[in-house]
Amino acid sequence: MRPHRISRAEARRVAVRAQLLDANRSSDLLPTVEQLTFLQLDPTAAVAPSADLVAWCRLGAGYRPAHLQQAVERDRTLYEHNAYVRPMTDLGLHLADMAAWPPEGSRALAWLTANDSFRRYVLDLLRDSGPLLSREVPDRSVVPWPSTGWTNNRNVTQMLEFLAARGEVAIAGRIGRQRRWDLAERVYPADTEVVPADEARRIRDERRLRSLGIARASVVGEAGEPAEVEGTPGGWRVDPAALDQPFAGRTALLSPFDRLVHDRKRLWELFDFEYVLEMYVPKAKRRWGYFALPVLHHDRMVGKVDATADRKAGVLRVHAVHEDVPFDGEVSAAVDAELEALATWLGLTTVTRAGRVVDVG
């Protein structure tokens, strides 16, 4: 098949539409997550937790974090696994990989084997008393988990994480940031069909490409059709259904973990946009801020907003707006409107920017 020849502008619009960031906003959480394939969980909440910020960017003011919690804990239309929230209908695409984990010869398998009595104890305890927080599970490990990082000797957490990776336990919900663990059979639907591993990987690649619109073959395998994007190296795959579609853009403030900006190489090649999450960079060396929000305007990435939600003071503090390209009046007004919308959604009454206070109450 001859590759599609695509301009960078068209490639950008394909990517923006696929990520539900064009003017046609989504209206419901579940179809949104189904299109995106997942929401990534991260505890950083300088502005808002990333999963909530990503959902707000798509759904707008009608979205509430309680909607995500309800979908996971009560409706069971979404499930949490390995720091991602995914549609429950996609569970079968991951069960074969869970059943094959951990791989032969791995450190994880050796540790689980040495602690088989601990594993069986945890499963029995959850069966009798679950769901439980990790602190409610006694540490009966025979061999401690060795690590040079924060997981060293955190044996209960490691066992629960490993059992979840194997599909034996699952996250039933949360109390604040703390996960509540239970037997997977009480969280996952009993009638979930296990899709064979090879077929599941092919379907996941197709779903991933549909959510991205255009991506490298290294990310989506053989999904979609080959494409060439002007001015970039080859190796692209594109969702053919996403080509030649009308486009209407909008302005959006994105989470640093948003999938439109997550692949920094793709971001540079398609959008000419450089971005680094600087929360781990020493303050004196930061260029854009601790949790700077990339700014999308129609099909271009135009800047970053360094902002912090000061919930105690009831203020969204905008420390700086970095313009990658000079903002004209339209872009400035659109960014201000998004900041005010963000403050309102967060329940904050004002936006402070460059010494100016904007009342959004």
Side-chain angles (χ1 to χ4, degrees), residues 20 31 108 115-116 140 150 159 166 244:
L20 305 178
N115 282 290
D116 188 60
R140 296 196 177 181
W150 70 273
M159 179 58 74
R166 290 163 59 94
D244 302 319

Side-chain angles (χ1 to χ4, degrees), residues 212-261:
L212 296 171
I214 186 166
R216 297 287 185 185
S218 58
V219 176
V220 298
E222 295 301 308
E225 296 177 357
E228 295 176 354
V229 178
E230 65 171 345
T232 71
W236 295 100
R237 306 291 294 185
V238 68
D239 176 6
L243 294 172
D244 302 319
Q245 298 295 319
F247 179 83
R250 61 183 171 94
T251 302
L253 305 177
L254 306 180
S255 162
F257 298 101
D258 198 292
R259 251 36 197 183
L260 188 68
V261 301

Side-chain angles (χ1 to χ4, degrees), residues 76-345:
R76 301 291 194 207
T77 54
L78 302 174
Y79 72 98
E80 178 183 342
H81 184 262
N82 196 27
Y84 295 99
V85 171
R86 300 181 184 274
M88 191 66 82
T89 52
D90 283 0
L91 174 63
L93 300 176
H94 299 272
L95 288 177
D97 283 352
M98 290 183 192
W101 193 90
E104 290 292 334
S106 67
R107 189 162 68 105
L109 181 59
W111 188 78
L112 281 171
T113 301
N115 282 290
D116 188 60
S117 61
F118 181 31
R119 168 185 166 273
R120 287 184 280 106
Y121 168 75
V122 171
L123 293 174
D124 288 342
L125 179 63
L126 290 176
R127 183 172 291 108
D128 294 339
S129 306
L132 297 173
L133 302 173
S134 61
R135 68 167 182 259
E136 297 173 317
V137 178
D139 182 356
R140 296 196 177 181
S141 58
V142 177
V143 177
W145 175 256
S147 171
T148 58
W150 70 273
T151 61
N152 184 59
N153 207 35
R154 295 175 65 93
N155 304 308
V156 171
T157 299
Q158 284 301 100
M159 179 58 74
L160 291 168
E161 294 274 12
F162 287 176
L163 294 181
R166 290 163 59 94
E168 294 184 274
V169 307
I171 297 168
R174 286 179 176 253
I175 298 177
R177 294 184 178 180
Q178 298 181 72
R179 294 168 293 183
R180 300 172 70 240
W181 302 88
D182 205 347
L183 296 179
E185 64 196 50
R186 295 204 287 241
V187 177
Y188 298 154
D191 59 352
T192 301
E193 180 182 353
V194 179
V195 180
D198 288 344
E199 182 183 356
R201 278 189 284 274
R202 177 185 61 79
I203 296 172
R204 291 201 306 265
D205 284 345
E206 292 174 351
R207 299 267 287 107
R208 190 178 302 115
L209 179 60
R210 192 180 75 180
S211 75
L212 296 171
I214 186 166
R216 297 287 185 185
S218 58
V219 176
V220 298
E222 295 301 308
E225 296 177 357
E228 295 176 354
V229 178
E230 65 171 345
T232 71
W236 295 100
R237 306 291 294 185
V238 68
D239 176 6
L243 294 172
D244 302 319
Q245 298 295 319
F247 179 83
R250 61 183 171 94
T251 302
L253 305 177
L254 306 180
S255 162
F257 298 101
D258 198 292
R259 251 36 197 183
L260 188 68
V261 301
H262 184 264
D263 184 335
R264 309 300 195 221
K265 181 179 179 183
R266 174 178 179 260
L267 183 64
W268 174 254
E269 289 179 334
L270 297 185
F271 292 88
D272 288 320
F273 189 72
E274 181 186 5
Y275 182 79
V276 175
L277 177 57
E278 296 181 322
M279 58 192 293
Y280 302 114
V281 175
K283 186 174 182 179
K285 296 184 178 180
R286 292 174 191 155
R287 291 178 289 172
W288 304 309
Y290 177 83
F291 198 73
L293 309 179
V295 181
L296 171 70
H297 182 70
H298 294 218
D299 67 342
R300 301 303 300 266
M301 302 300 302
V302 297
K304 298 106 177 165
V305 170
D306 179 14
T308 305
D310 185 343
R311 293 170 177 84
K312 185 175 181 180
V315 171
L316 179 65
R317 300 194 184 279
V318 181
H319 309 292
V321 176
H322 303 280
E323 302 180 11
D324 282 49
V325 295
F327 289 6
D328 59 19
E330 176 192 351
V331 175
S332 291
V335 171
D336 283 347
E338 281 300 295
L339 286 167
E340 292 172 25
L342 177 59
T344 300
W345 174 66

Side-chain angles (χ1 to χ4, degrees), residues 27-85:
S27 58
D28 295 306
L29 178 62
L30 180 58
T32 298
V33 181
E34 289 174 338
Q35 171 61 26
L36 301 181
T37 73
F38 62 79
L39 296 177
Q40 181 177 351
L41 300 173
D42 185 88
T44 308
V47 175
S50 183
D52 292 322
L53 192 54
V54 168
W56 170 77
C57 282
R58 276 74 180 174
L59 297 165
Y63 170 74
R64 294 289 181 271
H67 298 163
L68 181 58
Q69 183 177 11
Q70 177 175 325
V72 172
E73 298 184 17
R74 292 175 51 193
D75 301 339
R76 301 291 194 207
T77 54
L78 302 174
Y79 72 98
E80 178 183 342
H81 184 262
N82 196 27
Y84 295 99
V85 171

